[in-house]
Amino acid sequence: MQPVDVHSNLRFLLNEWDPIGVADDVQDEYDCLIAPLLTRLHAGAGRAAIGEFLGSELEDHFGLDPQPQEVDQLADKLVAWWSTVGTA
């Protein structure tokens, strides 16, 4: 069995979310979120903490007005994903 490449998996999930609509052209646009998200997930952060981080990054770093429902949906997805790969 191959080990899970969490960086690539997380990049895929972030590019699938693609809040600024550039992932088809710029595959590494959201790479700045990977390490902070993995740190939080590894430390046991839940949906609320992940959602808060994503919302603040969208606003402060990307200059967007975060849509709470979209942020919460991704936070749920990331926490669920981590629960299956985080111990791999």
Side-chain angles (χ1 to χ4, degrees):
M1 186 167 141
Q2 295 278 342
V4 174
D5 182 351
V6 295
H7 286 86
S8 292
N9 280 205
L10 186 50
R11 176 188 269 178
F12 174 82
L13 293 170
L14 292 169
N15 283 342
E16 184 178 63
W17 181 47
D18 195 17
I20 60 175
V22 299
D24 287 341
D25 298 319
V26 185
Q27 293 296 305
D28 63 352
E29 181 64 29
Y30 307 111
D31 282 7
C32 59
L33 301 176
I34 292 174
L37 282 169
L38 288 176
T39 298
R40 285 167 172 76
L41 291 165
H42 186 65
R47 186 197 62 78
I50 297 298
E52 183 178 316
F53 169 74
L54 290 170
S56 68
E57 284 297 300
L58 284 179
E59 188 171 359
D60 299 338
H61 180 78
F62 292 102
L64 299 175
D65 182 19
Q67 302 301 308
Q69 182 178 2
E70 292 176 14
V71 170
D72 289 345
Q73 286 174 347
L74 181 62
D76 285 338
K77 186 179 220 176
L78 294 179
V79 170
W81 165 75
W82 185 251
S83 73
T84 64
V85 302
T87 59

